[in-house]
Amino acid sequence: MEEINVRLLDMDTKIPEQLVKNADDSYTIFLNAKLSQEKRLKSYYHALTHIKQHDFEKEDVQEIETEAHNI
């Protein structure tokens, strides 16, 4: 299983999370600390979906988001 780091950051409220694939092939999920716990949890699971679907290996961003929101 991949190593996943999670960090809380104060971000613009329009950005619920950001997912980064690190140089060592681990991932870091940045969750917006300004959001409620419920919204942060939803954002966390959304980011996990991207990891499980190997989205960093795909090119079509629109397709990636469509698939992630349909799960």
Side-chain angles (χ1 to χ4, degrees):
M1 172 160 249
E2 296 90 357
E3 180 179 336
I4 301 170
N5 305 292
V6 180
R7 301 285 184 259
L8 286 176
L9 291 178
D10 285 332
M11 298 186 279
D12 186 303
T13 54
K14 295 177 187 173
I15 304 169
E17 90 282 329
Q18 183 176 3
L19 175 61
V20 176
K21 186 171 185 178
N22 304 310
D24 65 356
D25 288 331
S26 67
Y27 294 90
T28 302
I29 302 172
F30 296 98
L31 297 174
N32 193 335
K34 294 179 182 177
L35 299 179
S36 69
Q37 179 65 17
E38 180 180 344
K39 289 182 180 180
R40 285 195 306 261
L41 190 57
K42 184 177 179 181
S43 298
Y44 173 77
Y45 285 118
H46 178 83
L48 284 181
T49 299
H50 286 295
I51 295 169
K52 289 179 186 177
Q53 296 294 324
H54 305 282
D55 288 342
F56 280 88
E57 298 168 16
K58 299 176 184 175
E59 293 184 24
D60 186 344
V61 174
Q62 198 62 34
E63 179 183 341
I64 291 168
E65 283 301 316
T66 299
E67 288 177 6
H69 287 279
N70 287 329
I71 293 179

